[in-house]
């Protein structure tokens, strides 16, 4: 027995050695086999909107990390705030009616900042997924509190991305995050169509008509399921990871009355859009949306620290208070929710955003970004360039009329993203779609650099793609 155990042990150690070389970290949204073959690009330093890898290569970050590093790297005020807080009080929690001065100050400021949206309370998390989880729990808690415990179903949208916890990945409408996980998505989630007019609008259908069709789809689903079973509807103002899909004209204006008619809570996932990315404080300001619960993260701390929150409006807050009172406690909380250092960073970011009106800068620069890149639609293999504010996508097609995807052996957006990287520009590929979402502090000079690097990358993209598929259209 002893001998056998030792052999198994040795075997495991052998395995461990093999894994430790390049794949000691099971990396998110990465093929582990690819990481074994090609060592990961390793970034070691950042200054403003540029980062450097361990080989000394410099990149312009066209995606602000993960749509999140709003101020770029090296902001001395944010670093100073973090340092001061680490020295003063590195950690205490906010459980059991104990709290910290910084958590109280920051959450009060956050509520003030969002008060024009009807927000009266925050619940602090460490990022977007757990804040979305929280919002679903709050919706269930709410319906139980007001005597409608049958309301459990959440309606989300195909193509949505809400994160990767079990709840968030269930609500996300992307196959890639469900595949291989057996019970995902969980049975209390339903998905309605991706609101993408260019791809899914019918011949002759206007954008408004398309929005009406989607609203009807939502209403039909609610009636099929029974309104008394629906807890909430969740949506991003502009779909992000699903390929930057702004809503068609009138979409939220047609969806909201239906939610109101059947008294369904609306969770607005503003993880990407809050704090200025669309040129307004919130995506809900931009599209005039009135949800009951908001999810925020990312730019909240400019990603200098993990931070997120559920923002709660009065209707929900009141019910939570009553319900928790029945149990004597509100039974929910994360060790790192309201972390002092995260709050100090979040507070300083908010100070900077407000002092500089960062959303006005985004609004000012948006035409430069959007209209310049819109011209790429003249490229024979680009079907659509779309976006709002500092979010933009370029979708490749092999045929502009049929919108058929471009079937290169390596996905076309990955070819372009690889060429961008060689030219010192970081962008994101989602297969057929290239995504850009620069830091909110991007200047005209930064945009000029982005445009010229993108142009050089398109030149080599053309060479690679036409070499592989010479019959593709050339004009
Ligand atoms: C709209 C949206 N919601 C939620 C999330 C999940 O956030 P996190 O990765 O911080 O958990 C993301 C992340 O990209 C997101 O884009």
């Amino acid at each position: 027995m002893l001998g056998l155990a030792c052999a198994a042990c040795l075997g495991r150690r052998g395995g461990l050695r093999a894994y430790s070389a390049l794949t000691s970290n099971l990396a998110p949204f990465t093929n582990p086999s690819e990481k074994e073959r090609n060592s990961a690009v390793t970034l070691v330093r950042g200054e403003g909107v540029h980062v450097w890898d361990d080989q000394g290569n410099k990149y312009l970050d066209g995606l602000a990390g993960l749509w999140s590093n709003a101020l770029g790297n090296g902001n001395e005020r944010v670093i100073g705030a973090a340092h001061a807080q680490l020295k003063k009080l590195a950690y205490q929690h906010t459980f059991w009616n104990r709290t910290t001065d910084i958590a109280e100050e920051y959450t009060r400021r956050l509520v003030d900042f969002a008060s024009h949206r009807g927000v009266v309370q925050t619940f602090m998390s460490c990022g977007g997924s757990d804040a979305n989880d929280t919002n679903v729990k709050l919706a269930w808690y709410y319906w139980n509190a007001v005597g409608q415990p049958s309301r459990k179903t959440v309606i989300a949208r195909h193509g949505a991305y809400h994160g990767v916890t079990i709840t968030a990945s269930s609500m996300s409408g992307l196959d890639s995050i469900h595949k291989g996980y057996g019970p995902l998505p969980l049975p209390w989630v339903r998905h309605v169509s991706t609101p993408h007019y260019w791809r899914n609008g019918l011949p002759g259908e206007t954008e408004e008509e398309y929005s009406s069709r989607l609203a009807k789809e939502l209403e039909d689903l609610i009636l099929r399921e029974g309104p008394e079973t629906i807890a909430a509807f969740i949506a991003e103002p502009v779909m992000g990871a699903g390929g930057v899909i702004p809503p068609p004209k009138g979409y939220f204006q047609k969806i909201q009355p239906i939610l109101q008619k059947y008294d369904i809570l609306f969770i607005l996932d503003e993880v990407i859009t809050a704090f200025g990315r669309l040129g307004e404080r919130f995506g809900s300001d931009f599209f005039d949306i009135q949800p009951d619960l908001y999810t925020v993260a990312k730019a909240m701390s400019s990603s200098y620290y993990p931070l997120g929150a559920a923002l709660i409006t009065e209707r929900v807050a009141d019910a939570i208070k009553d319900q928790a009172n029945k149990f004597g406690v509100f039974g929910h909380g994360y060790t790192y929710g309201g972390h002092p250092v995260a709050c100090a960073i979040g507070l300083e970011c908010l100070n900077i955003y407000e002092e500089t009106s960062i959303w006005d800068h985004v609004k000012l620069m948006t035409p430069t970004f959007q209209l310049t890149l819109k011209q790429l639609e003249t490229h024979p293999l680009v079907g659509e360039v779309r976006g709002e504010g500092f979010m933009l996508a370029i979708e490749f097609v092999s045929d502009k009329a049929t919108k058929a995807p471009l079937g290169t052996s390596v996905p076309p957006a990955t070819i372009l993203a690889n060429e961008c990287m060689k030219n010192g520009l970081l962008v994101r590929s989602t297969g057929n779609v290239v995504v850009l979402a620069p830091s909110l502090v991007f200047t005209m000079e930064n945009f000029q650099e982005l445009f010229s690097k993108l142009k050089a990358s398109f030149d080599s993209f053309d060479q690679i793609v036409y070499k592989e598929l010479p019959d593709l259209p050339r004009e």
Side-chain angles (χ1 to χ4, degrees):
M1 267 319 278
L2 194 61
L4 275 177
C6 281
C9 230
L10 277 174
R12 252 185 272 129
R13 274 204 220 106
L16 260 183
R17 267 197 299 279
Y19 270 87
S20 66
L22 292 170
T23 55
S24 51
N25 182 24
L26 178 59
F29 293 103
T30 300
N31 180 347
S33 306
E34 191 203 326
K35 208 177 169 204
E36 239 165 40
R37 283 192 301 272
N38 303 314
S39 55
V41 176
T42 304
L43 300 171
V44 294
R45 189 165 74 82
E47 215 178 280
V49 297
H50 292 93
V51 288
W52 282 259
D53 69 17
D54 59 355
Q55 307 300 305
N57 299 309
K58 179 181 178 182
Y59 304 95
L60 177 69
D61 186 357
L63 198 71
L66 281 173
W67 341 66
S68 57
N69 184 209
L71 295 169
N73 277 285
N75 186 293
E76 289 298 341
R77 281 182 60 178
V78 181
I79 295 165
H83 189 234
Q85 186 60 47
L86 274 165
K87 281 176 83 169
K88 185 170 169 246
L89 179 69
Y91 179 70
Q92 265 303 328
H93 56 82
T94 58
F95 286 38
W96 320 315
N97 205 20
R98 213 150 79 194
T99 186
T100 63
D101 54 352
I102 185 69
E104 293 304 299
E105 184 182 355
Y106 178 49
T107 52
R108 266 198 303 273
R109 272 291 299 283
L110 208 51
V111 166
D112 281 350
F113 178 70
S115 60
H116 69 291
R117 310 253 21 113
V119 169
V120 298
Q121 245 180 2
T122 64
F123 184 89
M124 304 302 285
S125 70
C126 310
S129 305
D130 49 341
N132 272 328
D133 262 36
T134 294
N135 271 332
V136 171
K137 287 182 77 176
L138 293 182
W140 287 339
Y141 207 72
Y142 171 86
W143 288 117
N144 290 333
V146 300
Q148 296 193 50
S150 60
R151 287 191 184 259
K152 292 289 180 288
T153 299
V154 177
I155 301 176
R157 302 174 308 165
H158 290 294
Y161 184 75
H162 298 298
V164 294
T165 55
I166 290 175
T167 298
S169 48
S170 292
M171 297 190 298
S172 295
L174 296 167
D175 286 348
S176 57
I177 62 173
H178 297 155
K179 268 189 217 150
Y181 289 104
L184 291 181
L186 291 178
W188 47 263
V189 178
R190 302 284 177 276
H191 289 94
V192 288
S193 299
T194 311
H196 191 181
Y197 177 66
W198 171 76
R199 184 155 286 289
N200 300 326
L202 297 173
E205 189 178 43
T206 65
E207 249 179 277
E208 289 274 356
E209 287 163 354
Y210 175 58
S211 294
S212 300
R213 181 154 63 87
L214 293 183
K216 179 166 184 321
E217 180 200 19
L218 175 67
E219 184 161 20
D220 288 348
L221 174 70
I222 293 167
L223 292 173
R224 235 182 6 257
E225 294 286 325
E228 71 289 352
T229 65
I230 314 291
F233 171 77
I234 184 167
E236 301 150 88
V238 174
M239 278 189 171
V244 181
I245 302 173
K249 272 195 200 84
Y251 176 77
F252 285 112
Q253 283 60 41
K254 290 175 196 286
I255 292 282
Q256 286 191 109
I258 291 170
L259 300 178
Q260 280 152 15
K261 182 170 168 191
Y262 299 105
D263 202 17
I264 291 165
L265 292 178
F266 188 174
I267 303 171
L268 192 66
D269 183 344
E270 292 237 29
V271 166
I272 292 177
T273 51
F275 304 98
R277 184 157 290 283
L278 299 185
E280 297 285 349
R281 287 167 175 75
F282 289 92
S284 43
D285 290 320
F286 190 88
F287 291 111
D288 190 20
I289 311 172
Q290 295 295 335
D292 303 286
L293 291 157
Y294 297 79
T295 314
V296 295
K298 295 200 187 278
M300 197 176 173
S301 62
S302 192
S303 288
Y304 278 53
Y305 215 76
L307 181 60
L311 304 183
I312 308 164
T313 60
E314 196 166 6
R315 169 188 182 184
V316 181
D318 286 350
I320 291 169
K321 190 170 151 195
D322 292 346
Q323 181 79 334
N325 211 17
K326 281 185 221 150
F327 303 126
V329 68
F330 173 58
H332 184 58
Y334 304 112
T335 299
Y336 299 120
H339 191 288
V341 181
C343 288
I345 288 173
L347 182 61
E348 198 56 22
C349 288
L350 194 50
N351 288 337
I352 296 169
Y353 298 157
E354 290 200 301
E355 284 165 31
T356 59
S357 290
I358 201 160
W359 31 85
D360 289 340
H361 172 72
V362 171
K363 195 183 279 175
L364 192 72
M365 298 305 297
T366 289
T368 300
F369 180 43
Q370 294 287 342
L371 298 180
T372 306
L373 294 184
K374 190 79 180 160
Q375 294 169 36
L376 283 169
E377 281 186 355
T378 57
H379 187 286
L381 303 176
V382 171
E384 187 182 40
V385 177
R386 55 178 177 263
E388 288 293 354
F390 280 12
M391 297 174 78
L392 183 136
I394 304 162
E395 179 156 351
F396 290 108
V397 289
S398 59
D399 179 328
K400 287 191 190 239
T402 64
K403 299 169 188 165
L406 183 49
T408 38
S409 49
V410 173
T414 306
I415 297 176
L416 186 73
N418 290 343
E419 294 311 303
C420 284
M421 194 165 245
K422 286 184 205 154
N423 286 307
L425 172 64
L426 299 180
V427 301
R428 172 173 181 176
S429 156
T430 64
N432 266 312
V433 180
V434 172
V435 170
L436 290 162
S439 293
L440 306 189
V441 293
F442 244 54
T443 60
M444 186 60 90
E445 197 187 339
N446 298 143
F447 277 115
Q448 295 304 350
E449 183 183 344
L450 186 149
F451 299 151
S452 76
K453 289 184 165 167
L454 199 57
K455 183 178 179 316
S457 309
F458 258 94
D459 290 346
S460 37
F461 168 88
D462 286 349
Q463 283 175 22
I464 296 166
V465 171
Y466 286 117
K467 190 168 173 204
E468 183 185 341
L469 299 170
D471 294 335
L472 284 172
R474 287 174 189 263
E475 49 187 65

